[in-house]
Every structure is written in C-alpha cells, then in structure tokens.
Amino acid sequence: MIMRISKKDKGFLSGLIWLTLAVSAASLGLAKFATVWWPLMIIFFFIVSLVMYRCCEKARQKDMRKFYNFYMVSTVVKLVVYLSILTIYSLNFKEDSKRFMLTFLAYYVIYSVFETYQLVKKKKAKDE
C-alpha cells in the first residue's frame, strides 16, 4: 500500500529532517559537552515529533475539539514520560546525569519549538 504525502506534510517532514541535520551538526561540534547518548536522543526526538505530527493530523481531520484534547493530553503524557526517563537515568548513571539532562532538555526545547511553530503555521494557513 502506497501512502500519499500531502504538500503540507512534505513541508513538515523536510523541515524536521533539516532541523535534525542542523541539531546533529551542532551536537557534533559540542559533543564534549553533551552526553554520549546524544545521537540516540536525536533519533528519539525525530521519531516522537513525526509520530506526534501524524497523530495530531488525524485528530485534526476528525474534529478540532478532538485535536485540542489530543494535543493537551499528549503534551502532558510526553512530559511525564520525559521526566521518568530523566529520573531513571539520573538515578542509575549519576556521573553522566547532568550532561544527559542538559542535552535532553536542549533537544526537548528545540523540537518542541519546531512542533509548535509547525502547528501554528498550519493553523494560520487553514484560517486564510
């Protein structure tokens, strides 16, 4: 089965790929300050962003109220999961916990800003 990708979806995907490449390049240059797990973190945030985008789009196509509810619940769930990851890692790897937390937080902020920008951009395009 071939899945068709809309022009707006292609825009999101290409933006996400470019963001991931830029974050990877910056992280490579700052690798001595980051945790050794930074490449896996980038892949993790790429996948989470992609899945969240697809789920948000499905919810948006059904009903805007479902979209808002889904977005709010998914944001809370992501925060709980992320805090759990940070806590578990910090308790098990104390020597790397500070670098891990800072790297994770930086990626979280970068990818969250990107996701929010994309949602607002799409909302504005729909309103016009």
Side-chain angles (χ1 to χ4, degrees):
M1 178 160 70
I2 297 174
M3 187 174 93
R4 298 220 167 144
I5 300 174
S6 73
K7 188 175 181 178
K8 291 177 182 176
D9 290 344
K10 284 180 185 176
F12 174 83
L13 186 57
S14 66
L16 184 60
I17 290 170
W18 281 110
L19 174 70
T20 301
L21 291 173
V23 169
S24 298
S27 297
L28 193 57
L30 299 169
K32 64 181 177 181
F33 302 109
T35 182
V36 297
W37 298 106
W38 68 264
L40 291 175
M41 282 185 191
I42 291 174
I43 293 168
F44 171 77
F45 280 102
F46 177 88
I47 292 170
V48 168
S49 293
L50 194 56
V51 169
M52 288 301 301
Y53 176 79
R54 294 297 302 154
C55 292
C56 283
E57 281 305 300
K58 284 184 181 181
R60 184 195 314 261
Q61 289 171 0
K62 290 181 182 177
D63 181 14
M64 282 308 284
R65 277 184 269 150
K66 285 185 180 183
F67 165 74
Y68 292 128
N69 289 337
F70 174 80
Y71 184 75
M72 291 299 154
V73 169
S74 66
T75 300
V76 170
V77 169
K78 279 192 332 185
L79 286 173
V80 170
V81 170
Y82 292 170
L83 286 172
S84 299
I85 291 169
L86 291 173
T87 302
I88 291 168
Y89 188 87
S90 295
L91 292 173
N92 290 305
F93 302 99
K94 291 182 181 8
E95 66 282 348
D96 189 44
S97 65
K98 187 184 242 182
R99 287 180 179 204
F100 186 89
M101 284 186 183
L102 290 173
T103 306
F104 196 94
L105 178 63
Y107 295 160
Y108 169 74
V109 169
I110 291 167
Y111 280 88
S112 292
V113 166
F114 174 77
E115 289 173 17
T116 304
Y117 170 76
Q118 290 294 323
L119 286 172
V120 168
K121 182 174 141 184
K122 196 161 199 165
K123 172 85 169 97
K124 283 183 181 180
K126 185 179 179 185
D127 291 342
E128 292 176 354

